[in-house]
Amino acid sequence: MHDHDGVVDADVQLIELFRRIAHRDSVAVFQLLDAEPHLLSAASKQSEELLEAIPHQVYVGDTALHVAAAAFWPALASHLLEGGALVSAANRRGAQPLHYAVDGIPGSPSWNPGAQFEVIEKLLSFDADPNSQDKNGTTPLHRAVRNRCSAAVARLLEAGADPDVRNCRGSTVFQLAQWTTGRGGSGLPAAQQEQEKILKLLR
């Protein structure tokens, strides 16, 4: 069964929560979580959509913690984790919340490296695995490098992320740091400055 937005009935409240998180609607987010505590750890069963405000693509298996991580929202990430959200929850692509916490486009309107760092710190304090690989063999470190997020790279390395792990294409993070990534915004001056910092960290 679907509603008019194509959201599966079982996912209606959860997708509404995801949309509110993306828009930083604090009042609505915490009201929803108080009224429906199961949403603290619920995963999308069949619904997928693009949350343009972050931006973040929701996949089956995503939880509120995935979206809070992608939105760089440390207070919400803490609330979810303390309420029982699984730090190692994986979506259908094998991505855990830490994979999304390291996304970002330096120089873009939504870019907030301080908040991003706080979310990463919170996930690691709940034993997020810095070497977890998604179904493409991609680790959070691969993503942080590809997204040109130097503070995230530094924190992951400090937490024990292995820079020698190869993804399914055989790429190491050092190779990704050198190559043009094809990621939107990677040509911005801010991203190029981040790239130089990352190369120094990896050397």
Side-chain angles (χ1 to χ4, degrees), residues 20-127:
R20 297 290 187 176
I21 293 171
H23 285 282
R24 286 276 178 151
D25 188 344
S26 227
V27 172
V29 166
F30 286 100
Q31 280 179 346
L32 253 175
L33 290 170
D34 283 347
E36 303 290 343
H38 72 279
L39 296 177
L40 286 159
S41 57
S44 170
K45 293 181 174 65
Q46 285 178 275
S47 301
E48 305 200 342
E49 73 172 60
L50 177 64
L51 299 172
E52 290 180 16
I54 309 182
H56 171 74
Q57 175 64 44
V58 170
Y59 294 102
V60 167
D62 272 352
T63 65
L65 188 58
H66 283 88
V67 182
F72 306 154
W73 193 343
L76 179 58
S78 291
H79 181 79
L80 293 166
L81 286 161
E82 284 155 17
L86 281 178
V87 78
S88 60
N91 66 18
R92 71 170 177 85
R93 293 163 67 96
Q96 297 183 15
L98 189 59
H99 284 93
Y100 292 146
V102 303
D103 285 348
I105 302 174
S108 70
S110 61
W111 176 232
N112 187 336
Q116 179 184 46
F117 186 89
E118 282 186 60
V119 170
I120 293 167
E121 196 69 18
K122 180 54 64 175
L123 294 170
L124 289 170
S125 76
F126 274 77
D127 296 326

Side-chain angles (χ1 to χ4, degrees), residues 49-203:
E49 73 172 60
L50 177 64
L51 299 172
E52 290 180 16
I54 309 182
H56 171 74
Q57 175 64 44
V58 170
Y59 294 102
V60 167
D62 272 352
T63 65
L65 188 58
H66 283 88
V67 182
F72 306 154
W73 193 343
L76 179 58
S78 291
H79 181 79
L80 293 166
L81 286 161
E82 284 155 17
L86 281 178
V87 78
S88 60
N91 66 18
R92 71 170 177 85
R93 293 163 67 96
Q96 297 183 15
L98 189 59
H99 284 93
Y100 292 146
V102 303
D103 285 348
I105 302 174
S108 70
S110 61
W111 176 232
N112 187 336
Q116 179 184 46
F117 186 89
E118 282 186 60
V119 170
I120 293 167
E121 196 69 18
K122 180 54 64 175
L123 294 170
L124 289 170
S125 76
F126 274 77
D127 296 326
D129 180 3
N131 291 305
S132 59
Q133 290 177 278
D134 68 14
K135 290 181 180 176
N136 292 320
T138 303
T139 64
L141 189 58
H142 281 107
R143 287 181 80 120
V145 168
R146 184 168 181 263
N147 283 278
R148 305 303 192 224
C149 298
S150 68
V153 170
R155 186 64 189 89
L156 289 169
L157 289 169
E158 193 182 295
D162 183 353
D164 296 322
V165 172
R166 292 177 183 271
N167 63 19
C168 289
R169 291 181 174 177
S171 305
T172 64
V173 292
F174 189 67
Q175 289 169 322
L176 292 179
Q178 294 171 293
W179 298 335
T180 302
T181 66
R183 179 81 164 99
S186 58
L188 292 171
Q192 290 172 340
Q193 288 166 9
E194 291 287 296
Q195 182 181 12
E196 286 168 23
K197 290 179 189 173
I198 288 167
L199 284 166
K200 281 182 187 166
L201 284 166
L202 294 174
R203 285 188 178 119

